Amino acid sequence: MPHAPEPDEDDFDATPPQPVFHVEQALLGALLLDPHRLGEVTGIAADSFSTAAHAALFAAISTLPPPDPAEHAKNTNWLDRVLATGRGQARGLTASYLHTLVQVCPWPRHAPAYARMVEAEHARRRLQTAAERLVQTVHDVSLPHPVQAVLAEADALAAVVDDIETRFPPRAGVLPRTAAPPSPVAPDYTEAVEEEQMLLATATANPADIESVRWLLPDDLTLPLHAGLWRCLTALVRRREPVDPVTILWEAQQRGLLDDGSEPGEVLHLLAEPAGSVEYWGERALQRSLLATADHTGRRIKAYVGDPANTPFQLVVGARRSLADIGAVRTRWQHATGTVPTPRPRPAPTTRAGPPTTTAAYTGRAARATR
């Protein structure tokens, strides 16, 4: 098969092209052969294509008036205009590449099917971009309000899923086959451990305050030992039994928490140095849990998208399930902070109906905790 135009190195490198590249070639070849078939192509625009050259060609085909079929069969005047217009956006386009596109198109009448494939791959790229932005935002330490920024990106990701679902309604609740990636260790792991120790010690000294953080779950804590000790604390409070480091240590033993080699003396020491408020440290732990959930969600969706065997239908189902995890932590965050959720708008699908297209420090934190 002939190769893509050599001058446009940004679009065509030494790596083998993906299947969608050949699909795009077939679609463009069909439209160059039979321009009137543009009316049969819906759901895509110039930005649906994977390369600048293909996008420029589709934009040219979509905006130029179609030629008279009889004249088009006899001369290349319309093709010359398409090439000249396309070169305005992609200088590497050549007349020989247009000839290649025409040659590699198996059946021009299959243009609608090719367009649907291009639309599906564009949906995959959009989902990947939104998931990557979510993960990047989670790890952006320069943000003054990280939770709000992350939730905004989660909403943007959900909006993309909404649009894809409109275009590709799930046929059945079949999850992607791709395994979820393991959760990476948080860059602030040491800080998390220290703050969780402060939470446990402060809650031990002030067990009555645990009621005010009912939105905090054991799984929000980073270490399994910390999660287990929080279960011990809440269980003792729920049973109205005495709460102090010794009673918690005994409860931990009954629950097998010391089976991992944890030293009783270390647990007692951990629970004996309170500072600040339970609510403050609980909110810090919940924020960390929310960000970790968003990070894992973004990575999971990226893994789904990275598996070409997953259909758009499967991507929608998988993304919905993943975003539900953020939604659950978000609801608890709103209870913790007293924030009122803002309804998320559901934008209309941006489909093309037909031609033409226009397309501190640690001590500082402890001091603040006494608020």
Side-chain angles (χ1 to χ4, degrees):
M1 177 180 291
H3 295 290
E6 297 178 358
D8 203 344
E9 296 294 340
D10 290 338
D11 278 345
F12 312 112
D13 52 29
T15 59
Q18 297 298 311
V20 69
F21 180 86
H22 301 286
V23 173
E24 291 173 2
Q25 285 188 319
L27 173 58
L28 293 170
L31 298 179
L32 292 172
L33 278 168
D34 296 334
H36 70 277
R37 296 193 180 275
L38 184 63
E40 304 171 4
V41 173
T42 60
I44 62 172
D47 62 359
S48 301
F49 290 79
S50 63
T51 74
H54 288 178
L57 275 177
F58 186 79
I61 293 170
S62 302
T63 54
L64 288 173
D68 176 81
E71 288 295 320
H72 185 56
K74 294 188 298 184
N75 58 63
T76 64
N77 294 339
W78 185 77
L79 295 178
D80 294 338
R81 290 195 296 270
V82 168
L83 178 59
T85 303
R87 277 178 172 169
Q89 299 297 323
R91 292 179 298 175
L93 285 171
T94 63
S96 64
Y97 188 57
L98 266 64
H99 179 68
T100 295
L101 295 176
V102 170
Q103 284 187 318
V104 301
C105 177
W107 297 99
R109 66 174 179 270
H110 292 169
Y114 303 150
R116 187 65 167 168
M117 299 172 194
V118 171
E119 183 182 8
E121 196 62 23
H122 182 227
R124 185 186 301 275
R125 292 196 301 273
R126 291 175 60 207
L127 193 57
Q128 179 177 17
T129 299
E132 287 174 346
R133 287 181 58 88
L134 176 61
V135 173
Q136 291 167 1
T137 303
V138 169
H139 295 280
D140 188 347
V141 297
S142 68
L143 296 172
H145 304 289
V147 171
Q148 293 89 328
V150 165
L151 291 179
E153 289 300 336
D155 286 342
L157 173 56
V160 173
V161 176
D162 287 344
D163 186 56
I164 296 174
E165 185 175 24
T166 301
R167 298 165 181 263
F168 298 90
R171 295 169 179 166
V174 180
L175 282 169
R177 65 174 189 174
T178 315
S183 299
V185 176
D188 57 347
Y189 178 81
T190 301
E191 181 182 67
V193 171
E194 291 175 348
E195 293 188 355
E196 290 173 8
Q197 291 175 348
M198 298 297 290
L199 167 68
L200 293 166
T202 305
T204 300
N206 304 277
D209 293 345
I210 293 178
E211 182 68 18
S212 66
V213 294
R214 296 180 61 182
W215 32 260
L216 185 66
L217 300 180
D219 287 344
D220 292 324
L221 305 188
T222 304
L223 291 183
L225 175 62
H226 292 175
L229 290 175
W230 186 254
R231 289 189 178 92
C232 294
L233 263 165
T234 55
L236 290 172
V237 169
R238 186 172 60 250
R239 300 199 304 259
R240 300 181 183 277
E241 296 184 11
V243 176
D244 62 37
V246 173
T247 61
I248 296 172
L249 177 64
W250 188 255
E251 181 77 13
Q253 176 179 276
Q254 302 303 300
R255 291 171 176 259
L257 292 182
L258 307 183
D259 294 348
D260 63 353
S262 297
E263 295 289 340
E266 294 177 356
V267 174
L268 289 174
H269 179 73
L270 181 157
L271 299 172
E273 296 183 358
S277 71
V278 172
E279 186 176 359
Y280 174 81
W281 296 120
E283 187 174 310
R284 290 285 297 172
L286 183 57
Q287 173 177 315
R288 186 174 292 106
S289 177
L290 188 152
L291 296 179
T293 300
D295 179 71
H296 187 59
T297 294
R299 293 177 184 277
R300 190 189 315 171
I301 293 176
K302 285 174 59 180
Y304 292 159
V305 172
D307 187 344
N310 290 325
T311 68
F313 314 102
Q314 289 177 297
L315 294 178
V316 167
V317 174
R320 283 261 180 258
R321 294 282 187 93
S322 301
L323 287 166
D325 293 340
I326 297 180
V329 186
R330 181 183 203 160
T331 298
R332 293 191 289 118
W333 174 260
Q334 291 165 350
H335 284 295
T337 60
T339 55
V340 178
T342 301
R344 177 168 55 85
R346 296 171 64 96
T350 55
T351 56
R352 192 183 66 83
T357 300
T358 55
T359 325
Y362 171 71
T363 54
R365 293 193 304 273
R368 292 196 302 274
T370 58
R371 74 181 190 278

